[in-house]
Amino acid sequence: MEPLFGIWLGLILAVASSAQNNCTCATNKWTVCAPDGSGNCTCTLVGSNHKVDCSTLTSKCLLMKAEMVLLKEKRFWGRARGLVGDDGIYNPDCEDSGTFKAKQCNHTSTCWCVNTAGLRRTNKGDKSLSCSELVRTSWIYIELKHKKRSSAFDVPDVAKALKHLFESRYKLQPKYITAVKYDSPLIQIYLNQEDSEKSRCDVDIADVTYYFEKDVKDDSLFHSNSTLTISVNGDALDIEKLQIYYIDEKPLEFYMRQLASGVGAMVTVVTVITGFGISLLVVLMLLRRRKPEKVEINETGEIKAPSVQ
C-alpha cells in the first residue's frame, strides 16, 4: 500500500510542479505564481499579497519593496550580495495602485518627500513633515556610452534601434520618446510624459527607466529573455556606462531652517576671509608709509649718527 501511495504522491507533485512551471509572470521575476480555481495564472509580489498584472510593467515602488524582501532573505541566509549604492534602494510605502506615497519614512522618526520616481525631493525631517502631493517626474534624460569600436554607428540607425527597444520591450508609447541623439560614443535619450497626457494603460517613464537600468546592469526584471541585446543593423550595441537624470514638474523643496544654517556657515567663512584681507591691507599700508632713515658716511668711512631734528 505504501509504495502505491508513494507513486500517487509523486504523480501529484509532478503535475503540480508542471503547472507551477507553466504559471509565471513574464514581466516580473520577483513574483510567486500559481493557478487559481478557474485555471488562470495568478501572481503576487514576493513578500506580500499584492496581485501583479503580468501583461505590463510592475511599478517601481512595488519592485523596490520586493527587492528589499529578497535582500533581507539573502542577509539572513548569509548569501547577501550588496546593492549598488546609486540604485537608491529603500523599503518604500506604496499606494494600492502601486505608486509611491508622497511621504516616505525609514520606520523611525526620519521622513522625506519623494517624486513619482521615488527619489527624494526634500531634505529629511521628522514625522511632522508634510508632503501635500506626489510631484510628477515628467522629464527623464538618459545618457549612455557604448564600448569603443572601429567606426561609429549611423545616427538614424541608433535612434531607430533604441526607439524600437523602448516600444517593444518596455511597452512605451512612441510619443513619450521625444529625442534620441548620438555622437559616438555618447547616446542621449529624452523621455517626456506629462500627467495630463498619460492614460491609465500607459506605462510610466519612471518604471520604464527602472527596468532599462536593471537590464543594463545585467539584473533584468523580466522572467525570461532576461539578457538585454541591442542590435544596430546586425551589430551589437554594447553599453558600458549609464547615467540617468530626473526632472520634476515642480522645483525641489528645502527647509528654511537648514537653508539658514548653510547661509550662516557661508557668512562666517566670508567674514573670516574679509577680516584677514583687511588686516593684510593695513599691514601693507603701514610698510609703505614707513620712510627709511638717511645714512651718512664721513671721510674716514665711518657711519655718522642721524641728526636729531
Side-chain angles (χ1 to χ4, degrees):
M1 183 67 181
E2 290 182 359
L4 183 60
F5 174 77
I7 294 174
W8 277 105
L9 180 60
L11 289 174
I12 293 173
L13 292 176
V15 173
S17 177
S18 177
Q20 181 73 17
N21 291 335
N22 293 330
C23 182
T24 57
C25 186
T27 58
N28 189 345
K29 66 180 182 181
W30 293 336
T31 52
V32 178
C33 303
D36 56 21
S38 59
N40 295 322
C41 184
T42 301
C43 298
T44 57
L45 196 70
V46 168
S48 73
N49 294 322
H50 196 288
K51 291 186 178 181
V52 176
D53 182 2
C54 297
S55 65
T56 187
L57 303 185
T58 304
S59 70
K60 181 180 177 180
C61 187
L62 293 177
L63 290 171
M64 287 173 59
K65 204 166 189 66
E67 193 167 358
M68 287 301 298
V69 171
L70 295 172
L71 180 60
K72 289 179 181 178
E73 290 181 356
K74 288 179 181 179
R75 285 175 176 169
F76 179 79
W77 292 105
R79 299 192 302 269
R81 185 181 68 179
L83 293 173
V84 180
D86 58 4
D87 279 344
I89 298 297
Y90 60 94
N91 191 5
D93 291 323
C94 309
E95 300 286 359
D96 292 337
S97 61
T99 59
F100 289 92
K101 288 187 177 181
K103 181 178 178 180
Q104 298 288 329
C105 301
N106 62 357
H107 303 292
T108 59
S109 59
T110 304
C111 301
W112 61 93
C113 303
V114 300
N115 53 22
T116 53
L119 302 177
R120 184 162 61 91
R121 51 175 284 107
T122 66
N123 290 320
K124 292 182 178 180
D126 54 28
K127 289 188 176 181
S128 64
L129 174 66
S130 176
C131 303
S132 59
E133 62 175 328
L134 181 67
V135 178
R136 178 162 190 78
T137 299
S138 56
W139 280 92
I140 296 181
Y141 164 61
I142 303 172
E143 185 175 88
L144 307 172
K145 180 181 179 181
H146 66 67
K147 293 182 180 179
K148 187 177 180 181
R149 47 184 288 117
S150 58
S151 61
F153 294 104
D154 290 335
V155 177
D157 294 337
V158 172
K160 181 180 178 181
L162 288 172
K163 286 181 179 179
H164 176 73
L165 172 73
F166 277 77
E167 293 171 23
S168 59
R169 187 173 178 88
Y170 309 113
K171 312 303 179 185
L172 184 64
Q173 294 287 343
K175 62 181 179 180
Y176 299 133
I177 309 172
T178 55
V180 177
K181 300 180 180 180
Y182 175 54
D183 183 12
S184 182
L186 297 178
I187 304 172
Q188 299 169 336
I189 305 173
Y190 296 86
L191 307 181
N192 176 230
Q193 189 178 57
E194 303 293 339
D195 192 39
S196 58
E197 63 179 352
K198 181 182 178 296
S199 65
R200 292 186 60 183
C201 60
D202 288 339
V203 293
D204 195 284
I205 56 174
D207 301 336
V208 169
T209 304
Y210 196 62
Y211 269 79
F212 179 66
E213 180 181 8
K214 288 291 186 180
D215 275 339
V216 172
K217 294 181 178 180
D218 199 22
D219 186 21
S220 179
L221 297 166
F222 293 99
H223 188 273
S224 59
N225 191 24
S226 57
T227 302
L228 177 65
T229 55
I230 307 175
S231 178
V232 180
N233 278 346
D235 292 334
L237 177 66
D238 296 321
I239 301 171
E240 65 176 3
K241 185 178 179 181
L242 168 68
Q243 191 70 39
I244 304 174
Y245 302 89
Y246 301 82
I247 303 174
D248 294 347
E249 288 183 343
K250 296 183 178 181
L252 300 179
E253 302 172 8
F254 297 93
Y255 295 125
M256 292 303 297
R257 182 178 60 184
Q258 296 190 13
L259 181 61
S261 64
V263 173
M266 185 182 297
V267 170
T268 301
V269 173
V270 171
T271 302
V272 171
I273 294 176
T274 304
F276 177 77
I278 293 175
S279 300
L280 182 61
L281 182 61
V282 171
V283 171
L284 291 175
M285 291 179 64
L286 290 175
L287 291 175
R288 290 187 62 182
R289 289 181 179 180
R290 186 178 177 182
K291 296 181 178 179
E293 295 179 345
K294 186 176 181 181
V295 178
E296 297 181 4
I297 301 176
N298 57 20
E299 296 177 354
T300 62
E302 297 179 347
I303 299 176
K304 294 177 61 178
S307 59
V308 180
Q309 296 179 357

